[in-house]
């Protein structure tokens, strides 16, 4: 297929590479052209604007940061919507608000353009290994058309429901995961306050009912005080802003998530936004002040 890709960061670059390796004709657009250089060297074609990208592609996949970024990419000057022919498809694999996904689906539908919100779980490793879990919202026939592309990127693709439903599932995923990171931080803080070996505590817990991937990965980072690896906490903070706003609008009580949200707010105030979310441990430690993490 003729595929366009936007968002060549730690997730997007390997994902685009998988599509190219699978034999698809790949074109890319990047705000920073130098980020596209490795893919261009491998055979991808560079486009000057999102509209130009959409004009030359059947499907455009995007992995960018926030709702405003996706809306600007799709609807802004020289946006994708200006270039797509009827029948084109925009697959957005970013994590954005469900309402933004529904808005974009409706705008595209007016021009006969397909939409799929298809956020992912699995992180940088899942992107590199093409083992992402993909949560899809949109029309079933649109998903059927792009499923061969998604198969190059992930190990599971679940159709959650109509436009926006994929983003609802992703919000639930982030809520469970980051709440678990906070629980790990509290456990490590308690163990540390007792002066016992955090590595041994983690090893013991992994063998019991508390064992989980979050404890395995994040507990290890906390025990080693390795706060540089993994995903930047500012991105989880952004994700929690989405789900807490959804809770406000719906009147859905999320008491545990609300407490974790406040811990993320504290981590941002301490200057830890570009550190790994394992840094939630440091919010619990005495003597912290803004800029100290």
């Amino acid at each position: 297929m003729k595929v366009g890709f936007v968002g060549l960061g730690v997730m997007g670059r390997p994902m685009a590479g998988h599509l190219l390796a699978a034999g698809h004709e790949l074109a890319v657009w990047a705000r920073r052209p130098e980020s596209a250089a490795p893919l261009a060297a491998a055979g991808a074609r560079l486009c000057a604007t999102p509209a130009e990208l959409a004009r030359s592609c059947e499907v455009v996949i995007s992995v960018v940061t926030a709702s405003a970024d996706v809306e600007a990419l799709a609807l802004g000057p020289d946006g994708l919507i200006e270039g797509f022919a009827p029948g084109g498809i925009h697959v957005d694999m970013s994590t954005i608000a469900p309402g933004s996904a529904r808005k974009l689906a409706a705008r595209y539908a007016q021009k006969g353009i397909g939409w799929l919100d298809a956020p992912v779980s699995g992180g940088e490793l899942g992107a590199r290994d093409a083992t992402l879990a993909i949560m899809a919202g949109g029309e079933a026939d649109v998903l059927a058309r792009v499923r061969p592309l998604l198969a190059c990127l992930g190990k599971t693709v679940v159709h959650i429901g109509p436009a926006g439903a994929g983003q609802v599932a992703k919000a639930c995923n982030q809520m469970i995961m980051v709440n678990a990171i906070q629980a790990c931080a509290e456990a490590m803080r308690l163990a540390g306050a007792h002066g016992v070996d955090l590595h041994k505590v983690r090893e013991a817990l992994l063998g019991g009912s508390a064992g989980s991937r979050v404890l395995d990965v994040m507990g290890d980072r906390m025990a080693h005080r390795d706060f540089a690896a993994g995903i930047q906490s500012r991105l989880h903070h952004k994700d929690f802003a989405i789900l807490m706003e959804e809770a406000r609008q719906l009147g859905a009580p999320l008491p545990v998530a609300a407490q974790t949200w406040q811990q993320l707010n504290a981590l941002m105030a301490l200057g830890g936004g570009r550190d790994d979310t394992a840094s939630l441990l440091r919010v619990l430690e005495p003597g912290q002040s803004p800029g100290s993490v």
Side-chain angles (χ1 to χ4, degrees), residues 182 185-187 189 263 279-286 288:
Q182 174 64 20
E186 294 183 25
R189 177 69 189 103
Q263 293 300 104
S279 293
L280 282 169
L281 172 62
R282 293 192 283 186
V283 178
L284 302 169
E285 295 174 338
Q288 295 294 355

Side-chain angles (χ1 to χ4, degrees), residues 149-239:
L149 300 177
L150 301 182
C152 298
L153 308 176
K155 63 179 180 179
T156 61
V157 180
V158 178
H159 187 202
I160 307 297
Q167 295 298 344
V168 172
K170 181 60 186 288
C172 294
N173 180 87
Q174 300 305 82
M175 180 165 53
I176 292 170
M177 180 179 63
V178 183
N179 283 343
I181 296 171
Q182 174 64 20
C184 287
E186 294 183 25
M188 294 297 104
R189 177 69 189 103
L190 179 62
H194 276 284
V196 301
D197 188 327
L198 300 190
H199 300 278
K200 293 294 185 182
V201 171
R202 171 182 165 275
E203 181 183 354
L205 297 181
L206 284 172
S209 57
S212 68
R213 176 164 173 78
V214 168
L215 176 61
D216 183 15
V217 175
M218 291 298 190
D220 185 64
R221 292 175 187 168
M222 291 173 191
H224 283 98
R225 300 194 70 78
D226 177 10
F227 301 119
I231 190 168
Q232 294 181 358
S233 61
R234 65 185 179 88
L235 299 176
H236 284 148
H237 183 255
K238 179 264 298 184
D239 296 346

Side-chain angles (χ1 to χ4, degrees), residues 8-120:
L8 302 175
V10 295
M11 297 284 289
R13 188 177 295 115
M15 293 166 70
H18 294 318
L19 295 169
L20 195 58
H24 296 288
E25 186 178 325
L26 185 70
V28 298
W29 175 78
R31 284 179 292 187
R32 294 181 298 105
E34 61 271 19
S35 68
L39 288 166
R45 183 170 55 84
L46 301 183
C47 293
T49 65
E52 179 187 331
L53 183 72
R55 269 192 292 271
S56 62
C57 295
E58 303 164 73
V59 178
V60 172
I61 297 173
S62 56
V63 186
V64 294
T65 301
S67 299
D69 300 310
V70 182
E71 292 187 21
L73 171 67
L75 307 178
D78 285 324
L80 296 175
I81 199 168
E82 294 184 15
F84 272 128
I89 297 173
H90 182 184
V91 179
D92 181 54
M93 305 186 81
S94 318
T95 298
I96 65 173
S100 290
R102 296 181 190 114
K103 170 185 174 181
L104 288 165
R107 288 288 301 274
Y108 278 134
Q110 293 172 358
K111 294 200 168 188
I113 301 164
W115 162 269
L116 204 69
D117 47 284
V120 302

Side-chain angles (χ1 to χ4, degrees), residues 119-136:
V120 302
S121 180
E124 182 181 353
L125 181 62
R128 281 203 318 266
D129 294 344
T131 57
L132 295 167
I134 301 171
M135 313 161 212

